[in-house]
Amino acid sequence: MTLRWLLALCSIWGVAEALPASVTLKNIRHEPQSLNNCAPVTAMTLLGYYGASVTQAQAAAVMKDYPGDPQVTSVELANYLGRAGLRSVIRYAGDAELLRTLVANGFPVVLQQRLQQGSNVAHFRTVYGYSAGYFLTSDPLLGPSLRLTPAQLMSLWAYYNGEYLVAYPPAKEAQVQAILGRDFSTAANWQHLRTHGEQDVKARPGDPYAWWGLAKATLRLGNPRLASEYFERAINLGVPTMYYLYRQEAFEAWTQAGKHSRTLSVTQRALQTFPRSKELQHFRTLASRSLEKPGS
């Protein structure tokens, strides 16, 4: 029994009792996504659950940099939800127990995962139920009632280091804080991810995504030089070019550590595939300007 579990139960129900064996949240609106529209559909699903109406086309018009933009980040999703009055927390190193606790207390949870095994495409899906042996998700591409076993869910989730988003009305913040416990603090969650990453790279030293998670936590905790080493380890183990469309933390670390040539080299390669990515363009410009300075 974890501290998080105890805090959630004691704060919300007042007494320690087991989570329900099965939960399915109601009012989960689903709509098949248009191309690269998993984030707008996810926004539609969450806003619909909390009583607001929006179409995926309306959400896409605000969230995307241009029609067909293949990448919307969790932060951009949270910002859009904020326009409608919802607060969001984005955290890492999530686990099955946390998902059950959040869902049992009425909070659907957005996961950033692989689309499917073997795919390099990032994908949002929303967990809104669970029962013995599976989690129930609304998947913008694969359907409104996609069932994933805990093993399947965790495997797809490891690609993005257990990243999750919880959106909620401001009046429910105390509930979310109680459920997340220390992880409600951003700094504490980075420490959690670092510990998780250290365990993962020890258990799976050949896993590039485990190294990426450790690198990201190390960067956020203020050590860009060590983070740069971990990012290099991840890249050398085989991070695909598409990953840079969704994750730019390596460029942040290299920029802070003064490794501008490395940033320029990788962003130029990635931009050959994704020439309109504003994030890749941003870091390429930073690197180019830094290298043009005298003494660089």
Side-chain angles (χ1 to χ4, degrees), residues 167-181:
Y168 54 90
K172 294 192 175 185
E173 183 156 288
Q175 284 182 283
V176 175
Q177 185 171 3
I179 294 170
L180 296 188

Side-chain angles (χ1 to χ4, degrees), residues 73 75 92 190 212 215-225 227-228 231 235 244 246-260 262-264 266-267 279-280 282-284 286-287:
T73 67
V75 172
Y92 296 84
W190 290 130
W212 196 281
K216 178 165 182 166
T218 302
L219 173 64
R220 297 292 182 247
L221 290 170
N223 193 338
R225 291 194 176 277
S228 295
F231 282 123
I235 291 165
Y244 304 123
Y246 309 120
R247 288 281 177 92
Q248 294 86 41
E249 297 93 357
F251 309 137
E252 292 183 50
W254 294 335
T255 298
Q256 293 179 36
K259 298 183 178 182
H260 306 299
R262 188 67 172 125
T263 297
L264 191 62
V266 177
T267 54
E279 293 84 7
L280 293 171
H282 168 71
F283 283 106
R284 183 184 64 174
L286 283 180

Side-chain angles (χ1 to χ4, degrees), residues 104-184:
N105 283 283
F107 298 103
V109 188
V110 176
L111 309 186
Q112 175 85 300
Q113 296 185 312
R114 266 185 154 150
L115 174 61
Q116 55 194 14
Q117 289 296 341
S119 171
N120 292 327
V121 175
H123 192 57
F124 289 118
R125 48 177 58 96
T126 304
V127 177
Y128 68 96
Y130 67 83
S131 190
Y134 71 85
F135 285 94
L136 186 63
T137 74
S138 178
D139 187 302
L141 189 63
L142 301 178
S145 303
L146 177 66
R147 295 187 179 191
L148 297 172
T149 67
Q152 288 173 325
L153 182 139
M154 294 303 295
S155 178
L156 294 169
W157 211 5
Y159 190 64
Y160 282 105
N161 311 120
E163 179 182 328
Y164 60 96
L165 180 151
V166 185
Y168 54 90
K172 294 192 175 185
E173 183 156 288
Q175 284 182 283
V176 175
Q177 185 171 3
I179 294 170
L180 296 188
R182 290 188 70 249
D183 279 324
F184 191 78

Side-chain angles (χ1 to χ4, degrees), residues 197-221:
E198 290 170 344
Q199 295 169 347
D200 284 348
V201 299
K202 183 176 181 179
R204 306 188 306 276
D207 182 347
Y209 310 110
W211 283 101
W212 196 281
L214 176 58
K216 178 165 182 166
T218 302
L219 173 64
R220 297 292 182 247
L221 290 170

